[in-house]
Amino acid sequence: ADVFPLGLGFVAAYACQELSDLIEVKLFKFPNDLNMALKDHAPDVLCFSSYVWNARLTYKFAEYAKKAYPGAVTIFGGPDFPLPEDERKEFLIERPAIDFHIKWDGEYALVGLLRSLFACNMDFKGLKAESVSLPNVCYLDQSGQYVEGANHRVHDLMSVPSPYLAGLMDQFFEYPMMPVIETIRGCPYSCTFCNDGSTLRSKIYRRTSEYVRSDLLYIASKIKKTNQLAIADLNFGMFQEDIETARIIRSIRISSGWPDRIQTSIGKSN
């Protein structure tokens, strides 16, 4: 996927904000970079963002990591995860190298899981033995029983800092990939093909125009190898606030010449 890893960036930025004294974070986009890092250092935690286009690759890395470093905790998140509970259980049974899988929004869920791991000195097997229920966290306990935490969404998107302004995305400006922004999260429609077609995702939550402007100005100041911008919103142009986002993009284009092209999912009405 020729885009910045924005979802992973949000999760990492929130974790750094909430656990700044406890963690060091490094993001990886390319397999060779992760491969070299795993040969040089033993990770405490490996978090994988799993999509249909990278699911098998990320799982192979998880298998490798569990063999090389049995004490490492592997945590998956992303939309490549079944919706029905029984299929989620089967998914994890078939993939024993996954210690925990986070459903839906990952920012609060990962921090909650990491806090629980820190409380038991990173003894993930001991945590599993207690069958602790954590929001959005799914796993098989030590007896093989499936444990699934309650559904949870990030209601306040402004509580999640920008991974761009945090510097977490700087390395990716060296490659011809599209930077991505997200101004809203959620979708009022129930398309059966879509991960966000669930009723849980129907309410819309929004970032402020100031947040969006700051992200775009930062990207424009760093951009080197692409004339494109991706907007992760599921219905861009359908809401009144999108007009302000368009004005911001236009003003930045006038001053900097970027972007020439925008990739997004347009609104289904209005």
Side-chain angles (χ1 to χ4, degrees):
D2 59 343
V3 293
F4 284 38
L6 181 65
L8 200 61
F10 280 136
V11 172
Y14 186 73
C16 288
Q17 172 183 275
E18 299 298 309
L19 305 169
S20 58
D21 296 333
L22 298 171
I23 63 173
E24 295 179 3
V25 168
K26 185 171 178 60
L27 299 187
F28 296 89
K29 170 77 179 181
F30 303 107
N32 286 343
D33 293 342
L34 178 56
N35 197 41
M36 294 301 296
L38 288 175
K39 290 179 179 179
D40 290 340
H41 300 286
D44 294 311
V45 179
L46 273 170
C47 297
F48 294 100
S49 189
S50 185
Y51 298 88
V52 66
W53 56 81
N54 74 343
R56 286 184 292 182
L57 178 62
T58 53
Y59 187 71
K60 283 296 182 183
F61 268 112
E63 285 185 316
Y64 167 75
K66 295 301 281 188
K67 290 177 182 177
Y69 309 110
V73 184
T74 54
I75 304 172
F76 275 56
D80 192 64
F81 193 50
L83 293 177
E85 184 176 311
D86 59 335
E87 292 183 22
R88 285 174 172 167
K89 178 181 179 181
E90 190 64 28
F91 181 95
L92 293 175
I93 290 173
E94 294 173 356
R95 296 164 178 81
I98 299 176
D99 291 318
F100 303 93
H101 203 299
I102 293 175
K103 59 183 179 177
W104 309 122
D105 295 351
E107 291 92 346
Y108 293 179
L110 178 65
V111 167
L113 176 54
L114 289 176
R115 289 191 192 280
S116 295
L117 287 167
F118 292 147
C120 61
N121 296 315
M122 301 304 291
D123 178 13
F124 66 92
K125 293 182 180 179
L127 180 62
K128 286 186 172 188
E130 297 177 7
S131 300
V132 177
S133 179
L134 299 168
N136 281 7
V137 177
C138 308
Y139 64 95
L140 299 175
D141 68 16
Q142 287 301 95
S143 66
Q145 295 300 306
Y146 177 66
V147 179
E148 178 172 325
N151 291 330
H152 184 270
R153 287 193 63 187
V154 175
H155 297 159
D156 180 12
L157 293 185
M158 294 303 296
S159 69
V160 179
S162 164
Y164 289 103
L165 301 186
L168 290 169
M169 296 298 195
D170 284 359
Q171 62 177 303
F172 303 115
F173 287 104
E174 301 300 322
Y175 302 94
M177 299 187 297
M178 284 184 286
V180 194
I181 63 167
E182 178 192 63
T183 76
I184 67 167
R185 191 176 296 183
C187 179
Y189 300 101
S190 302
C191 303
T192 56
F193 63 82
C194 183
N195 185 67
D196 282 282
S198 167
T199 54
L200 175 70
R201 314 290 292 176
S202 62
K203 188 171 179 59
I204 303 296
Y205 298 107
R206 180 175 296 280
R207 292 183 169 85
T208 65
S209 294
E210 290 73 22
Y211 183 110
V212 174
R213 185 189 305 274
S214 296
D215 262 9
L216 287 168
L217 286 170
Y218 187 88
I219 293 169
S221 73
K222 295 280 189 178
I223 205 72
K224 297 177 181 180
K225 298 188 176 181
T226 182
N227 62 353
Q228 301 183 69
L229 168 68
I231 302 176
D233 302 8
L234 295 176
N235 294 282
F236 186 73
M238 195 170 79
F239 304 102
Q240 189 69 27
E241 293 87 347
D242 297 336
I243 296 175
E244 180 58 27
T245 299
R247 288 182 176 136
I248 294 169
I249 294 171
R250 180 176 182 271
S251 69
I252 291 173
R253 173 168 164 71
I254 290 172
S255 62
S256 70
W258 174 88
D260 282 338
R261 182 176 184 270
I262 296 172
Q263 179 173 304
T264 189
S265 298
I266 61 172
K268 300 172 184 67
S269 64
N270 289 340

